Amino acid sequence: MTKPLILVSNDDGITSRGIRVLVNVMKKLGEVVVVAPDSPQSGMGHAITIGNTLRLDEEEIFEDVEAYKSSGTPADCVKLAKHYVFNDRKPDLIVSGINHGSNTSISVLYSGTMSAAIEGAIEGYPSIGFSLCDYSAKADFSHVEEYVYKIAKQVLEHGMPKGVALNVNFPPKRNEPLKGIKLCRQARAKWQEEFDERFDPNGRKYFWMAGNFVNFDKGEDNDEWAIANNYASVVPCQFDMTAYHAITQMNEEWDLDVE
Amino acid sequence: MTKPLILVSNDDGITSRGIRVLVNVMKKLGEVVVVAPDSPQSGMGHAITIGNTLRLDEEEIFEDVEAYKSSGTPADCVKLAKHYVFNDRKPDLIVSGINHGSNTSISVLYSGTMSAAIEGAIEGYPSIGFSLCDYSAKADFSHVEEYVYKIAKQVLEHGMPKGVALNVNFPPKRNEPLKGIKLCRQARAKWQEEFDERFDPNGRKYFWMAGNFVNFDKGEDNDEWAIANNYASVVPCQFDMTAYHAITQMNEEWDLDVE
């Protein structure tokens, strides 16, 4: 029996600790190939590189693993893997992460980690983005390894519902062990930005974006609740963004006749 | 009666022809403020600027319109407008575009134009992204102005379903007039990339991403069909990406118990 072919990518860059943990877990499940950004790409959303050139260079960085670093975004990495690195081979699984920081709730839209997974889903491959809700570069990943293994193994066994990628988030390491895995919906929350206004040495104004995460969601079936209550959250995400319920409402109420 | 306050942004940059057309139409509907990128940002998806500084400078570029250019992405521009430019005022409408090029189907995920509109929806403001399916910098926008006006006016009158932004695409100018407006779902299609491999003057390899759009969708209720048949397409898009149907299926079939 051939081992499953697993593509690993991320958005923190190929030298981050999170991708190293992910590579080590995936090696227990199959043959691993890494294509990841050569530098951090956090907050890149589903950006792709058009109008600019891309670099892709093989790199010996993980033991016994074929690995490439690219100048591109996470979505670029998946495209490069599919159309260039793999050539005629097809991955059985695409995993992205483990991100240093939360991608719960609305952060899925800003997340480079999830854009790699969603790009995988668009191509029709079972795909998962993993994130640890701890922004520290020295974050402890020891409590999530068996969860990453379990979820990836379930995906390899069951496949993925069509048009769906998984957004998996883990609580930071606390004093008690994780309580388990919860299938969740995306919480209704947002970032409340503040702009820190400063002046450069030439007296010209510039800004730093800062802000706080605000959770409006009172439910107990969403990813924010799961993380707060020490569960791993799994949200199935779809790339069809159509608000079907709105079509009916607008067809009834709106006047869209142009004379 | 106070005039509606309308924020205009885009992803082709503040000097593009498309944003000029949009500003002129919006001036008929209310007071216009522009906050747009200082350079083209196509393909930026929902990227935001973290870990880097942002510039925002007032620019006299449109007649009788307060306008700012920013070094940030389209999503950054909406955040800067809300938290810095508007201060205590709240926009009645956020419009983005008119993009030089299609944002139908899966392109909504890669689109800077739509990320500005979706950012607006996350903040709770009625928001619309407009795109013309013509990539030419000299594209003819004359056939879409009354449609832009009509759709924006309907949004000002009816408001927007909660959690929804509109993705509006127009066919390129053809010999016959547009047939009307169709409310659509997002077509199932994807980009089939090819990587053009080249070598720089130092002999180091690099790539250009190229590719073709492939439409798998046989329906007549989607945005690709509308554009091909000379209708303006309007897709209501939501930022809740949860695949609710998949939760049920996975809860039934998967084993997510970790010992």
Side-chain angles (χ1 to χ4, degrees):
Chain A
M1 207 178 97
T2 16
K3 279 161 67 165
L5 178 61
I6 303 174
L7 172 67
V8 178
S9 193
N10 79 341
D11 79 340
D12 291 319
I14 198 163
T15 59
S16 72
R17 290 185 53 245
I19 197 170
R20 189 168 290 275
V21 174
L22 191 53
V23 166
N24 286 336
V25 176
M26 290 305 128
K27 280 166 87 171
K28 296 178 200 160
L29 286 166
E31 179 192 345
V32 175
V33 174
V34 176
V35 183
D38 57 17
S39 62
Q41 300 275 329
S42 295
M44 282 307 281
H46 210 99
I48 50 172
T49 301
I50 46 180
N52 255 315
T53 57
L54 281 166
R55 295 283 187 177
L56 181 75
D57 295 294
E58 195 157 3
E59 183 87 280
E60 275 184 45
I61 180 166
F62 306 102
E63 210 183 314
D64 298 326
V65 169
E66 188 182 339
Y68 302 82
K69 64 177 184 187
S70 169
S71 59
T73 64
D76 290 333
C77 288
V78 172
K79 289 176 187 290
L80 278 163
K82 189 200 170 203
H83 295 292
Y84 187 79
V85 175
F86 286 148
N87 218 330
D88 287 336
R89 302 173 72 196
K90 286 184 192 310
D92 298 290
L93 178 65
I94 296 179
V95 291
S96 176
I98 301 171
N99 192 58
H100 292 248
S102 165
N103 280 316
T104 55
S105 176
I106 199 70
S107 300
V108 67
L109 288 176
Y110 306 105
S111 163
T113 305
M114 277 308 294
S115 80
I118 289 168
E119 189 62 39
I122 293 170
E123 293 291 345
Y125 303 120
S127 303
I128 318 170
F130 292 102
S131 304
L132 178 67
C133 299
D134 184 337
Y135 289 89
S136 162
K138 294 188 177 171
D140 188 341
F141 290 89
S142 61
H143 60 308
V144 311
E145 291 181 20
E146 63 176 325
Y147 281 79
V148 170
Y149 180 87
K150 177 85 188 188
I151 293 166
K153 203 159 188 306
Q154 286 293 305
V155 171
L156 283 170
E157 278 172 21
H158 294 282
M160 194 77 88
K162 204 171 163 128
V164 167
L166 299 189
N167 182 18
V168 179
N169 281 267
F170 298 109
K173 179 141 181 146
R174 296 176 177 133
N175 288 332
E176 50 162 8
L178 296 188
K179 284 187 195 148
I181 298 171
K182 283 259 187 239
L183 281 171
C184 299
R185 61 175 175 80
Q186 175 184 325
R188 176 67 176 110
K190 67 162 192 162
W191 287 90
Q192 181 69 33
E193 285 85 13
E194 283 166 23
F195 289 93
D196 185 346
E197 184 179 333
R198 302 188 183 188
F199 291 86
D200 69 17
N202 299 315
R204 231 188 112 204
K205 195 161 57 183
Y206 69 95
F207 298 87
W208 286 103
M209 193 191 294
N212 297 306
F213 186 75
V214 192
N215 186 4
F216 304 112
D217 202 316
K218 300 186 189 81
E220 301 195 343
D221 55 349
N222 65 66
D223 50 3
E224 281 299 312
W225 185 93
I227 298 299
N229 288 275
N230 218 29
Y231 289 93
S233 69
V234 177
V235 177
C237 292
Q238 61 191 18
F239 52 79
D240 180 354
M241 297 180 76
T242 311
Y244 288 92
H245 64 286
I247 296 180
T248 319
Q249 181 186 336
M250 291 164 65
N251 266 324
E252 182 185 344
E253 295 171 9
W254 290 32
D255 164 25
L256 292 171
D257 285 338
V258 181
E259 276 88 49
Chain B
M1 209 181 93
T2 15
K3 278 163 60 168
L5 178 61
I6 303 174
L7 172 66
V8 178
S9 193
N10 79 341
D11 79 340
D12 291 319
I14 197 163
T15 59
S16 72
R17 291 184 55 244
I19 198 169
R20 189 168 290 276
V21 174
L22 190 53
V23 166
N24 286 335
V25 175
M26 290 304 127
K27 280 166 87 173
K28 297 178 198 159
L29 286 165
E31 179 192 344
V32 175
V33 175
V34 176
V35 183
D38 58 16
S39 61
Q41 299 274 329
S42 295
M44 282 307 279
H46 210 98
I48 50 172
T49 302
I50 46 181
N52 255 313
T53 58
L54 282 166
R55 295 285 188 177
L56 181 74
D57 294 293
E58 196 158 3
E59 184 85 278
E60 275 184 44
I61 180 167
F62 307 103
E63 211 183 312
D64 298 326
V65 170
E66 188 182 338
Y68 302 82
K69 64 177 183 186
S70 169
S71 59
T73 64
D76 290 333
C77 288
V78 172
K79 289 176 186 289
L80 279 162
K82 189 201 169 203
H83 295 290
Y84 188 81
V85 175
F86 286 148
N87 219 330
D88 288 337
R89 303 173 72 196
K90 287 184 190 308
D92 299 289
L93 178 65
I94 296 180
V95 291
S96 175
I98 301 172
N99 192 58
H100 292 249
S102 166
N103 279 316
T104 55
S105 176
I106 198 71
S107 301
V108 68
L109 288 176
Y110 308 104
S111 163
T113 305
M114 277 309 294
S115 79
I118 289 169
E119 190 63 38
I122 293 171
E123 293 292 342
Y125 303 120
S127 303
I128 317 170
F130 292 103
S131 304
L132 178 68
C133 299
D134 184 336
Y135 290 88
S136 162
K138 295 189 175 167
D140 188 340
F141 290 88
S142 61
H143 60 307
V144 311
E145 292 181 20
E146 63 176 327
Y147 281 79
V148 170
Y149 180 86
K150 176 85 188 190
I151 293 165
K153 204 161 187 308
Q154 286 292 305
V155 171
L156 284 170
E157 278 172 21
H158 294 281
M160 194 76 87
K162 205 171 163 124
V164 166
L166 299 188
N167 182 18
V168 179
N169 280 269
F170 298 109
K173 181 144 178 143
R174 296 177 176 132
N175 289 331
E176 50 162 9
L178 296 189
K179 284 186 194 148
I181 298 171
K182 283 260 187 242
L183 281 171
C184 298
R185 62 175 174 81
Q186 175 184 323
R188 176 66 177 111
K190 66 163 194 163
W191 287 90
Q192 181 69 34
E193 285 85 11
E194 283 167 24
F195 289 94
D196 185 346
E197 184 178 333
R198 302 189 183 187
F199 291 86
D200 70 17
N202 300 314
R204 232 188 112 205
K205 196 160 57 181
Y206 70 95
F207 298 87
W208 287 103
M209 193 191 294
N212 297 306
F213 187 74
V214 192
N215 186 5
F216 304 113
D217 202 316
K218 299 186 189 82
E220 301 194 346
D221 54 349
N222 65 66
D223 50 3
E224 281 299 312
W225 186 92
I227 298 300
N229 288 275
N230 218 29
Y231 289 93
S233 69
V234 177
V235 177
C237 292
Q238 60 191 18
F239 52 79
D240 180 355
M241 296 179 78
T242 311
Y244 288 91
H245 63 286
I247 296 180
T248 319
Q249 182 186 335
M250 290 164 65
N251 267 323
E252 182 184 343
E253 295 172 9
W254 290 32
D255 164 24
L256 292 172
D257 285 338
V258 181
E259 276 87 50

